[in-house]
Every structure is written in C-alpha cells, then in structure tokens.
Amino acid sequence: MRNRFDQQLELLNEQLTRMGELCEVAIGKATTALKEGSMEQAQKVIEADEEIDQAETDIERLCLKLLLQQQPVARDLRQISAALKMITDMERIGDQASDIAEIIITEEKSEAQDIPKIIKMSEAAGKMVRDSVNAYVEKDLELSRKVIQDDDVVDELFEEVKTTLIGFIAENKGAQGVEAIDLIMVAKYLERIADHATNIAEWVEFSITGIHNASVV
C-alpha cells in the first residue's frame, strides 16, 4: 500500500511541475506579446489558461483520492494539503497572465510600452513561479525562502514602473495616456503573480516544517 501511495505522490509532483510549467510559459508568452505587440502570442496565453484550469481540476482530483483512499501520515498530509493550496494560486496566476493578454489584444502598442522594467518584472515573476514549484518537489526550504525574498524585488520594480507611467500620463493626456494606464494594470497583474508565487513558497515551507507564515494577498 505504501509503495502505491508513494507512486501517487510522485505523480502529484509531476502534475504540479507540469502546472507550474504551464504558468511559466503563459507568463513568458505574455512577456513576448508585450514586447512585440503580438496578438498571436497574447491569444496563446488565453488558450494556455484553459490548460491551467484543467490541470487544477486533475490535481485536485488526485489529492482528494490520496486523502480518501489512503491514510497519510502527518508529513504526507501536509504535502497534500499544501498542493491543494498551491494549485489555487497557480490557477490565479493563469488568470492574471490571461488578463495581461486581454489588455494587449485590445490595445495597440504604444510608445509607453517600451519599458524594460515591466519586462524585468515579468521575468522575475516567472522565475519565482518556477522556483516555488521546484522547492515543493525538491523539498528545498532554502529555495522557498528565497522566493519569498524575491517578492521584494518585484514590488520595488512595480513602484518604479508605476512612477514612470504616471509621469508619462501627466505628459500625454490623449490615447497614449490611456494606454499607459493599461500598462499600469499589466504591471499590477505581474505584481500579483509574484504575490501568488510567494503564497506557493509559503505553502512549501508549511509542507516541510508544519509552520505556515501567511502573507496577505
């Protein structure tokens, strides 16, 4: 029975890794769409969100199966409970990447769009997602805590981007100013994605230590 249970836990790790990869790809495609003004890449982000939703359903089903059909010890129970919490954050990451894509689709590329710090935010948030899931699979407490620290970097970039775009809006009252407001929303979604990656990392810490230090998101 334990061997079967361990096999299913390994399957859980594989499915979580796959869901994390889907989230990271969605963020990457959103970044590409932002840099290139690519409607095609933006549409792929929206399509990827459906895959992420399905992954959440599949993992939730597996977790419930593990809880109902087996008798997990405390450590296993923490691992399964953390996985259930993590997929909720990953599903929201998919939603927010899709929200970014929707903005890109509805707005033409503007002069305000060429802001390297937005791209840095996207890359940093994507790495946080990847690292948080890897920390869970590898039971790497140090990596999970690094993800939590990295959130400060994204927050600082968000404040810098917001300040830059507010200045741009003050100088451009027409359509360019409106598009800059949309870019503030893009940056905010990226900041939220980083927050969700932080949540994931905190649940990883719980799965390892039994202690959960929750952030407010």
Side-chain angles (χ1 to χ4, degrees):
M1 286 293 291
R2 182 67 206 187
N3 287 342
R4 173 64 176 164
F5 185 72
D6 287 341
Q7 289 172 2
Q8 290 180 317
L9 283 177
E10 182 60 31
L11 177 60
L12 174 60
N13 287 345
E14 291 173 3
Q15 291 187 354
L16 278 167
T17 300
R18 174 58 180 158
M19 189 175 181
E21 288 171 350
L22 288 171
C23 289
E24 189 182 356
V25 168
I27 297 166
K29 289 186 183 301
T31 303
T32 300
L34 186 64
K35 287 192 290 189
E36 300 176 359
S38 171
M39 301 299 105
E40 180 182 357
Q41 291 296 314
Q43 186 59 45
K44 287 181 179 179
V45 176
I46 295 170
E47 293 168 0
D49 187 38
E50 296 178 6
E51 289 188 72
I52 292 169
D53 290 345
Q54 184 60 51
E56 180 191 28
T57 299
D58 293 342
I59 293 170
E60 184 178 57
R61 186 180 295 117
L62 176 57
C63 286
L64 293 177
K65 181 179 178 181
L66 287 167
L67 289 171
L68 294 174
Q69 295 184 359
Q70 307 291 342
Q71 293 182 332
V73 297
R75 181 188 61 191
D76 298 329
L77 187 59
R78 290 199 307 268
Q79 185 176 351
I80 297 166
S81 300
L84 284 168
K85 296 293 186 178
M86 288 165 61
I87 60 174
T88 299
D89 280 294
M90 284 194 275
E91 189 274 335
R92 289 175 181 168
I93 287 169
D95 286 345
Q96 284 156 354
S98 182
D99 289 337
I100 292 170
E102 292 282 2
I103 290 174
I104 294 167
I105 286 172
T106 56
E107 294 292 345
E108 295 182 3
K109 187 174 181 180
S110 72
E111 293 176 8
Q113 194 157 335
D114 187 20
I115 298 179
K117 284 177 183 175
I118 292 182
I119 306 305
K120 284 185 180 180
M121 281 187 71
S122 183
E123 292 171 347
K127 186 175 185 301
M128 286 176 67
V129 173
R130 180 174 68 252
D131 286 348
S132 62
V133 176
N134 285 343
Y136 174 86
V137 172
E138 298 168 10
K139 297 180 175 58
D140 189 333
L141 185 58
E142 184 177 345
L143 183 57
S144 70
R145 288 174 174 170
K146 182 180 182 301
V147 171
I148 294 168
Q149 293 172 352
D150 287 345
D151 187 45
D152 291 339
V153 175
V154 177
D155 288 343
E156 288 173 8
L157 285 168
F158 173 66
E159 291 300 325
E160 291 172 11
V161 167
K162 184 171 66 172
T163 299
T164 299
L165 287 172
I166 288 173
F168 184 89
I169 292 167
E171 297 173 3
N172 297 269
K173 302 297 185 181
Q176 293 289 339
V178 173
E179 290 164 8
I181 292 172
D182 285 336
L183 287 177
I184 291 178
M185 290 302 300
V186 168
K188 184 61 180 176
Y189 285 134
L190 291 170
E191 188 260 347
R192 297 294 285 174
I193 286 171
D195 285 343
H196 287 300
T198 300
N199 283 353
I200 294 170
E202 288 168 350
W203 284 112
V204 172
E205 185 170 352
F206 165 77
S207 74
I208 298 170
T209 67
I211 299 171
H212 181 234
N213 297 311
S215 297
V216 178
V217 176

